[in-house]
Amino acid sequence: MTGGGALETRLVRIERRALVVGTAGIGLSIVGVLLAPAPFFRAYLVGYLFWLGVSVGCLAILMLQHLVGGSWGLVTRRMLESGARTLPLMALLFLPLLFGIRDLYVWARPEAVAGNPLLQHKAPYLNVPFFVVRAIVYFTVWIGVATRLDHWSAAEDASPSLPVGRHVRRLSAPGLVLYGLTMSFAAIDWVMSLEPRWFSTVFGVLFVVGQGLGSVAFVIGVAAVLANDPPLSDVIRSSHFHDLGNLLLMFVMLWAYIAFSQFLIIWIADLPGEIPWYLSRARGGWRWIAGALLLFYFAVPFILLLNRGAKRRIGVLASIAGVLLLLRWVDLFWMIAPALDDAGPRLHWLDGVVPVAIGGLWIALYTRRLRGRPILPPNDSRLAEARARVAGA
């Protein structure tokens, strides 16, 4: 269905290898949860949010592309759609977090709530039944929007005469708003509530921007892997990677701006309830991780992505994107781990195994979705123009 024998072979190979890695990782994770449940659930939360971020980030970038257009959307549309179509798997993989809810969240322990006035005050919101209900609402919204967009995409493939473009634009505008709202509350529920005393009004926005950064980096990597095989090689050009590089630069700058604004406001205001969150992440080994994020998650890629040549060279841009994708995991680990272990950064073997296990299953499904349809939308109005440009180059 992808439209090319070499491409199909490559995707099948990736799918099989990812499935083997994911299955082996699941086996090790089961051993891990039996031997060390607390480190397992910490590793699972970080790994789960990393891969969920790519799924919902792809959905958000897909809706953004439907609204703003651009030639980069033609070559990445199927990649984004395939990422959004993994959301049912992520809904299923959310269930293990419910088994570890007491290991992760202090507000889920009745004995802790009974002796803490702050937790009692927040109990109408921070309680297990309402937590589960909100998660169901989040996934219902995300999967509902993704399913509808996918339905219209399939309809366009079957009949070019259908007015699909108008429908996807009408859904994408409110869909982005719904995504922003639901993901902001999900970030509060799943990450901020690890430390119920801490609060930030821009934390949800920071989380959304991080997901956008990670998903764009992932799509750049996928495009770089598949760019040399037809039919993608028939239309993709360095200008497409230049556009994606600009989009990646935008997210890098936006992440740095929001992260610094959050820090500056809390620090200058000298807020006793918020400053400890930063203090615990700026002591001991955590300060080096924070410094690495500042340097390699912002400063270095910012400088590199200002260079036009770096964005138009596939290998260079893909390398930058790969580092940023890895550092997205580091960023999540830096946000989550200090809330669960105040002894300093200590990597457990599960911190590596569990994200790889989830990622193996995710990539296997993603690859299957990607090869289930033509890699280029056959009835997209931009396709003929893109082929003409490559032929005339």
Side-chain angles (χ1 to χ4, degrees):
M1 290 293 292
T2 52
L7 180 60
E8 177 75 14
T9 301
R10 179 177 297 196
L11 291 176
V12 169
R13 188 185 306 119
I14 293 173
E15 179 185 338
R16 290 175 177 172
R17 291 177 178 176
L19 189 59
V20 169
V21 171
T23 303
I26 291 297
L28 291 174
S29 298
I30 293 174
V31 174
V33 72
L34 296 176
L35 297 177
F40 167 81
F41 286 117
R42 182 189 75 174
Y44 194 91
L45 180 61
V46 175
Y48 177 81
L49 290 177
F50 174 84
W51 289 107
L52 175 69
V54 180
S55 295
V56 292
C58 282
L59 174 61
I61 300 300
L62 176 65
M63 291 188 289
L64 178 66
Q65 189 277 324
H66 283 315
L67 289 175
V68 303
S71 61
W72 60 272
L74 172 66
V75 298
T76 62
R77 179 173 151 188
R78 287 293 191 249
M79 303 172 194
L80 294 169
E81 288 175 347
S82 298
R85 292 168 69 195
T86 62
L87 278 167
L89 172 65
M90 300 314 297
L92 180 64
L93 292 178
F94 182 80
L95 296 178
L97 290 175
L98 300 181
F99 291 99
I101 194 167
R102 293 194 178 189
D103 292 272
L104 292 169
Y105 302 101
V106 63
W107 51 262
R109 306 166 198 159
E111 67 279 6
V113 176
N116 191 316
L118 176 64
L119 293 180
Q120 294 172 14
H121 176 70
K122 295 188 175 184
Y125 185 85
L126 292 179
N127 61 80
V128 175
F130 196 23
F131 178 87
V132 174
V133 169
R134 291 194 302 273
I136 293 173
V137 172
Y138 304 151
F139 282 107
T140 300
V141 170
W142 301 334
I143 294 174
V145 173
T147 300
R148 198 60 187 164
L149 290 175
D150 183 67
H151 169 76
W152 282 325
S153 180
E156 183 186 57
D157 287 352
S159 176
S161 62
L162 293 176
V164 170
R166 183 179 60 197
H167 293 311
V168 296
R169 287 191 294 272
R170 284 181 176 178
L171 178 59
S172 294
L176 277 173
V177 175
L178 287 172
Y179 159 72
L181 289 173
T182 53
M183 196 65 244
S184 294
F185 277 99
I188 294 170
D189 291 351
W190 302 340
V191 181
M192 187 186 293
S193 72
L194 291 168
E195 296 171 274
R197 189 180 181 187
W198 185 69
F199 181 77
S200 169
T201 56
V202 298
F203 185 77
V205 179
L206 182 63
F207 216 80
V208 166
V209 171
Q211 290 180 341
L213 197 161
S215 59
V216 171
F218 174 79
V219 168
I220 288 173
V222 175
V225 170
L226 305 181
N228 293 325
D229 294 321
L232 197 60
S233 59
D234 298 336
V235 299
I236 199 165
R237 299 182 301 153
S238 59
S239 61
H240 293 125
F241 285 97
H242 183 266
D243 292 340
L244 291 171
N246 285 335
L247 189 61
L248 187 63
L249 174 61
M250 182 271 290
F251 277 113
V252 167
M253 296 171 60
L254 193 56
W255 175 86
Y257 172 77
I258 297 173
F260 179 73
S261 298
Q262 176 181 268
F263 168 77
L264 185 65
I265 292 172
I266 290 175
W267 199 263
I268 289 179
D270 197 21
L271 301 174
E274 282 73 19
I275 285 181
W277 192 89
Y278 279 104
L279 291 177
S280 64
R281 290 159 177 79
R283 294 171 177 166
W286 291 116
R287 73 176 64 180
W288 299 109
I289 296 179
L293 287 171
L294 178 63
L295 183 62
F296 298 108
Y297 205 44
F298 167 62
V300 172
F302 172 73
I303 294 172
L304 293 176
L305 290 171
L306 287 176
N307 185 280
R308 178 182 175 87
K311 288 178 288 192
R312 299 180 76 89
R313 295 174 60 186
I314 298 176
V316 174
L317 182 61
S319 298
I320 297 172
V323 172
L324 287 171
L325 191 61
L326 175 62
L327 287 173
R328 174 59 184 163
W329 177 87
V330 176
D331 185 31
L332 287 168
F333 184 79
W334 180 79
M335 285 192 290
I336 292 171
L340 302 172
D341 184 1
D342 58 2
R346 296 185 297 181
L347 280 175
H348 195 276
W349 62 271
L350 286 167
D351 289 317
V353 169
V354 175
V356 170
I358 299 173
L361 298 179
W362 191 93
I363 291 174
L365 178 61
Y366 175 86
T367 309
R368 174 163 293 192
R369 299 298 193 200
L370 188 60
R371 67 185 183 88
R373 288 182 182 168
I375 198 69
L376 294 171
N379 295 319
D380 193 302
S381 59
R382 298 166 293 183
L383 184 57
E385 180 183 354
R387 283 175 172 160
R389 286 181 178 179
V390 172

